[in-house]
Amino acid sequence: MAFLRFMYLAQALAFVSSLSTPGDKSASLPNLFDRFRVMCPASTGCITKYDSKIDLSSQSEKAFWAAVYRSNNNQPSVFVKDEFLQSMRLAVDSAVSTSASSNTESNNEDLIETPMSLQKPVAIACLRPSEDYEGNWVLDTMRCDLKKENTDASCDGGSEHTEAVSAAIDALLLQYLVSNDDITNVRFERVIRTKGTLVSGILLEERGFVPIESLSRDMATHVSSLDTSLEKYADRAINTKSPAARERALSILSHLGRLDREADIKAAQEIESTNGDSTDDDYDPWASFNSIM
């Protein structure tokens, strides 16, 4: 297995090295044509600017967010269209607090470049400790304002919607892997749980998350897998269309390759044993409803 991980890394790095020649200056500017840029971890001001109704008061201090913005590489017409659609949303949403958006603008100006400082994020996502399973994490709140129906073959994933959500997922996974100073203490196998939709489920599986086949207390549909993620991110490092996405894939692949696979799998088994996953087969999600009836 160690040999396979080495081959994944070698294959991906060889491809990236082949993209540039000694006299090629363009290779030093990998982000020129990226549609989106990610802030992770994102401040609470960035998240409330996306949606002021998101309650951040009760979340764990260990939780962190990713906020995806349009980069400066987009045409001016794209920013005008986004601003128009945002104005339409504000016009029909009476619950939006104008004071919240004005307070967060000054906090973000020193964090992101113009005109990003004038924008709200187009997508967000959160990675937080699980409330149901000790030692596990939950990837949720994967939201995006861009329309799923607007497909574009040049985008990573086939549309701006999937590219933005993908950027948020990758940024959170990378932040999780680098958040611990000692990479050997990081656990990945069956640690990150999430509820996938028809759209996000595909994106998760493209990143090595595997479906959960049994009912669980948190109703998760997918869980992280070290071996599958190594394979999927090696493939993304070679075939993805976005330079920034390729860079994130290589970084994630590098950190996953440094994990102790045997210790990670053993820890996953111990966590599942401690959490009592075997009892989830008898879990009835309608129990509280039946008691009321």
Side-chain angles (χ1 to χ4, degrees):
M1 185 55 62
F3 175 75
L4 287 177
R5 285 189 288 173
F6 171 78
M7 291 299 297
Y8 291 147
L9 286 169
Q11 187 180 19
L13 292 174
F15 173 79
V16 173
S17 299
S18 67
L19 294 178
S20 62
T21 60
D24 186 8
K25 300 295 184 182
S26 62
S28 62
L29 300 172
N31 296 322
L32 281 179
F33 303 102
D34 289 313
R35 291 179 173 84
F36 305 102
R37 289 189 179 182
V38 189
M39 181 184 294
C40 184
S43 66
T44 56
C46 297
I47 306 306
T48 55
K49 195 168 186 177
Y50 177 87
D51 186 350
S52 61
K53 298 188 291 296
I54 295 179
D55 183 15
L56 302 176
S57 59
S58 59
Q59 75 170 9
S60 170
E61 295 181 355
K62 296 181 179 180
F64 45 89
W65 291 78
V68 182
Y69 294 83
R70 285 197 182 276
S71 70
N72 298 341
N73 303 318
N74 291 273
Q75 295 291 336
S77 59
V78 176
F79 292 100
V80 173
K81 179 181 178 181
D82 286 349
E83 185 177 357
F84 172 76
L85 294 176
Q86 174 62 10
S87 299
M88 293 293 291
R89 295 188 190 97
L90 294 176
V92 299
D93 189 355
S94 59
V96 172
S97 172
T98 56
S99 60
S101 60
S102 62
N103 290 336
T104 57
E105 182 172 335
S106 60
N107 295 333
N108 296 332
E109 286 181 348
D110 59 338
L111 297 177
I112 46 185
E113 300 173 357
T114 306
M116 290 174 63
S117 61
L118 304 178
Q119 299 180 61
K120 65 183 285 290
V122 297
I124 59 172
C126 178
L127 186 62
R128 58 176 176 80
S130 173
E131 298 177 355
D132 297 293
Y133 297 100
E134 183 179 355
N136 287 80
W137 290 72
V138 175
L139 175 62
D140 62 4
T141 323
M142 292 175 281
R143 297 173 55 182
C144 182
D145 282 347
L146 305 177
K147 292 184 178 181
K148 308 180 185 70
E149 298 82 5
N150 295 343
T151 59
D152 186 344
S154 64
C155 293
D156 182 22
S159 70
E160 286 191 335
H161 177 95
T162 55
E163 183 169 339
V165 175
S166 297
I169 296 174
D170 290 344
L172 288 174
L173 293 182
L174 182 58
Q175 179 63 28
Y176 169 77
L177 292 171
V178 303
S179 59
N180 196 315
D181 294 334
D182 186 359
I183 189 66
T184 59
N185 292 331
V186 177
R187 294 292 171 256
F188 191 82
E189 177 71 20
R190 304 191 68 81
V191 168
I192 303 177
R193 305 170 64 88
T194 183
K195 300 175 185 176
T197 63
L198 291 176
V199 176
S200 64
I202 297 175
L203 301 179
L204 292 166
E205 291 178 8
E206 289 177 349
R207 284 153 180 79
F209 282 74
V210 295
I212 296 177
E213 298 179 354
S214 59
L215 186 65
S216 56
R217 291 193 296 272
D218 59 359
M219 306 296 288
T221 62
H222 293 77
V223 66
S224 57
S225 170
L226 177 58
D227 291 343
T228 312
S229 290
L230 279 168
E231 178 182 355
K232 294 295 185 179
Y233 273 106
D235 182 70
R236 281 189 55 76
I238 298 174
N239 298 318
T240 189
K241 301 175 182 178
S242 167
R246 181 181 297 111
E247 184 178 350
R248 285 190 294 268
L250 284 171
S251 298
I252 293 172
L253 189 61
S254 174
H255 284 83
L256 290 176
R258 294 162 57 191
L259 299 180
D260 187 335
R261 179 180 181 275
E262 294 183 0
D264 196 16
I265 294 178
K266 182 178 180 181
Q269 295 173 346
E270 292 176 353
I271 290 176
E272 289 185 351
S273 176
T274 302
N275 290 332
D277 278 353
S278 59
T279 60
D280 284 351
D281 293 336
D282 301 325
Y283 174 70
D284 182 9
W286 300 99
S288 57
F289 178 78
N290 292 334
S291 63
I292 297 176
M293 297 300 293

